[in-house]
Amino acid sequence: MDFLKFFKNKHFAQDMPLGRINRDKIPQHVAIIMDGNGRWAQKRGLPRYAGHKAGVEALKDIVKACIELNIKILSVFAFSTENWKRPKEEVSILMELLTKHLATEKDDLHKNGVKINCIGSLDKLPPSAQTEIAKAHALTKKNHKLILNIALNYGGRLEIVEAAKKLAAKICEGNLKNDEVTEEIFASLLFTGGQADPDLLIRPSGEMRLSNFYLWQTAYTEIYVSSVLWPDFRKDNLIEAIIDYQNRDRRFGGIKK
Ligand code: FPP
């Protein structure tokens, strides 16, 4: 009887997503476009902000899962340079959520070894958000268990233009020659300078586009689209995405070995 129980449990464990993951092939950097909050709320007859609030809970769960899985970098797209086009009320609710959660979650994230790294045109954010970002950065800057890149007022094109400006300044100041510019030097001037590119980009809610996220960094990133709306996205969904990634044949433009 005991043996039967053990046998059943063993098979049950293998059916669970975690039982199928290859611990030796965990992506180093996972990027997520947190999409579908509005639809999640609409389906429940709730205001859109309820979807964003629920989206924060999903983010908390995924950060925890990344730490457990030993993922080294998690990038999340929280607010794009184009999101200012949304109704004023929605924009201010998103800013409030960000400010409030940075203030309340930073200590816990710090205890868990998370380095909070907000990226984007941060000086255009409301002053209260900038203050909380500065506090979170200062508190967590030495942590290295997980880097959490939060893209805020971020656009891939903006990031490339900003890097081009920094490069032009270096050349004008005589610190670099035109023909010395390499892809590595250019990448070092992006907001993600010094970090490995994402191995896996997850887009929940079924849309199949990059929406101006990590245009440079995703040159060889594996893309996984999930039909699950972001507020419902949990550890098991992340694990399914990783298992799918682990079965991909990454050739980086070369041929199969
Ligand atoms: C896209 O869904 C989601 C956003 C523009 C905001 C994402 C932000 C959060 C989950 C909150 C992040 C908070 C912190 C603390 C970083 P959508 O509104 O475009 O959904 P829809 O496509 O269904 O309308």
Side-chain angles (χ1 to χ4, degrees), residues 132-241:
E132 283 311 325
I133 290 170
K135 282 189 199 163
H137 282 181
L139 178 69
T140 65
K141 67 180 179 211
K142 292 203 182 115
N143 295 340
H144 47 75
K145 177 76 190 147
L146 173 76
I147 297 176
L148 173 62
N149 293 320
I150 307 176
L152 286 165
N153 194 20
Y154 171 93
R157 288 182 175 179
L158 166 101
E159 179 182 39
I160 291 169
V161 169
E162 290 301 320
K165 284 191 208 161
K166 288 180 204 157
L167 195 67
K170 276 183 188 290
I171 294 170
C172 288
E173 288 156 9
N175 295 326
L176 187 71
K177 290 200 185 76
N178 210 17
D179 56 10
E180 286 171 352
V181 177
T182 59
E183 289 184 13
E184 287 72 25
I185 291 176
F186 194 86
S188 73
L189 301 172
L190 298 168
F191 297 136
T192 51
Q195 295 183 9
D197 287 339
D199 301 294
L200 171 65
L201 173 96
I202 301 172
R203 178 140 195 174
S205 93
E207 310 284 2
M208 299 198 190
R209 53 178 169 262
L210 286 177
S211 299
N212 204 12
F213 191 39
Y214 279 179
L215 298 183
W216 173 283
Q217 296 89 337
T218 52
Y220 277 101
T221 299
E222 296 297 325
I223 298 176
Y224 178 88
V225 176
S226 164
S227 58
V228 176
L229 302 174
W230 174 249
D232 288 330
F233 204 88
R234 289 293 181 275
K235 182 179 175 181
D236 276 358
N237 304 106
L238 174 69
I239 290 170
E240 286 298 349

Side-chain angles (χ1 to χ4, degrees), residues 237-252:
N237 304 106
L238 174 69
I239 290 170
E240 286 298 349
I242 293 174
I243 291 168
D244 195 89
Y245 158 85
Q246 292 180 333
N247 290 315
R248 307 268 179 102
D249 178 22
R250 299 187 83 190
R251 296 188 298 279
F252 299 94

